[in-house]
Amino acid sequence: MNKKMKLLTPLLLLLIFSCKGVSQEKDVANSPEEEALNEYKVQKSEEEWRKELTDLQFYILRKAGTETAGTSELLSNKREGTYVCAGCSTPVFESQYKFNSGTGWPSFDREIEGNVAYDVDYKIGYKRTEEHCATCGGHLGHVFEDGPRETTGLRHCINGAALKFIPTTP
């Protein structure tokens, strides 16, 4: 091995092993404070949720999944009414705050205050703000800061399967 390789090898090894970060790793055990935050008014077993929800609703609400963009029947809904959690019927969004974001998911510029809770999500490698129902904990989607500037500037990007629509007038 030449002299340059002998010098570069330890530096290269140091660089390789220093690339593993822990910023996105979550602790397995929750503190009592975190456990208290996870207690919702509506609590059911996984089996109960599976009986009440469709497979897609269960995947999204209980497993924090995402539906395929452009597949929700609620995406093009323009009727007046309220969007409620598909798991527990808590009102979470009003139709007057819905807008076409062009993303393929129903989008709103604001939630019904107090009915949506937030958490941090690193599932795709960077920090996102996850939204879930404050009553049952069901995953709704994520909120981003690229919404309409003339209103809140927020885009609540929501899985349509996590919602049910209740029209103002039938």
Side-chain angles (χ1 to χ4, degrees):
M1 206 185 286
N2 68 30
K3 194 173 187 175
K4 280 187 177 179
M5 279 304 279
K6 285 183 181 180
L7 290 173
L8 287 177
T9 301
L11 290 174
L12 185 59
L13 289 172
L14 179 64
L15 178 66
I16 289 170
F17 289 109
S18 67
C19 288
K20 184 190 181 298
V22 294
S23 65
Q24 295 177 3
E25 294 179 7
K26 289 191 172 188
D27 294 331
V28 175
N30 289 333
S31 69
E33 295 81 22
E34 289 172 319
E35 288 297 328
L37 290 175
N38 291 331
E39 292 183 19
Y40 299 100
K41 290 177 190 171
V42 174
Q43 294 207 14
K44 299 178 184 181
S45 69
E46 187 167 321
E47 184 179 316
E48 290 173 309
W49 284 119
R50 283 193 183 276
K51 285 180 183 175
E52 293 180 18
L53 302 171
T54 67
D55 289 343
L56 182 59
Q57 288 171 330
F58 181 82
Y59 169 68
I60 292 167
L61 287 165
R62 307 318 309 168
K63 298 298 180 184
T66 302
E67 67 192 4
T68 304
T71 60
S72 172
E73 294 176 11
L74 296 177
L75 182 60
S76 59
N77 181 33
K78 296 183 186 333
R79 298 187 308 164
E80 287 186 31
T82 303
Y83 294 85
V84 302
C85 172
C88 68
S89 298
T90 295
V92 287
F93 298 99
E94 294 289 346
S95 62
Q96 66 191 22
Y97 302 116
K98 186 173 185 263
F99 69 96
N100 182 359
S101 65
T103 61
W105 288 279
S107 297
F108 304 85
D109 71 354
R110 67 197 76 182
E111 79 285 9
I112 294 177
E113 203 168 317
N115 292 355
V116 176
Y118 301 91
D119 201 359
V120 176
D121 168 346
Y122 288 98
K123 290 179 184 153
I124 62 173
Y126 63 88
K127 182 180 176 180
R128 297 184 300 172
T129 302
E130 177 189 3
E131 296 184 78
H132 53 272
C133 174
T135 303
C136 73
H139 171 78
L140 301 171
H142 294 86
V143 63
F144 302 97
E145 295 179 355
D146 61 0
R149 295 188 196 282
E150 61 276 0
T151 60
T152 64
L154 298 177
R155 173 174 56 95
H156 297 262
C157 187
I158 306 301
N159 291 286
L163 304 172
K164 290 181 186 173
F165 178 71
I166 310 297
T168 300
T169 56

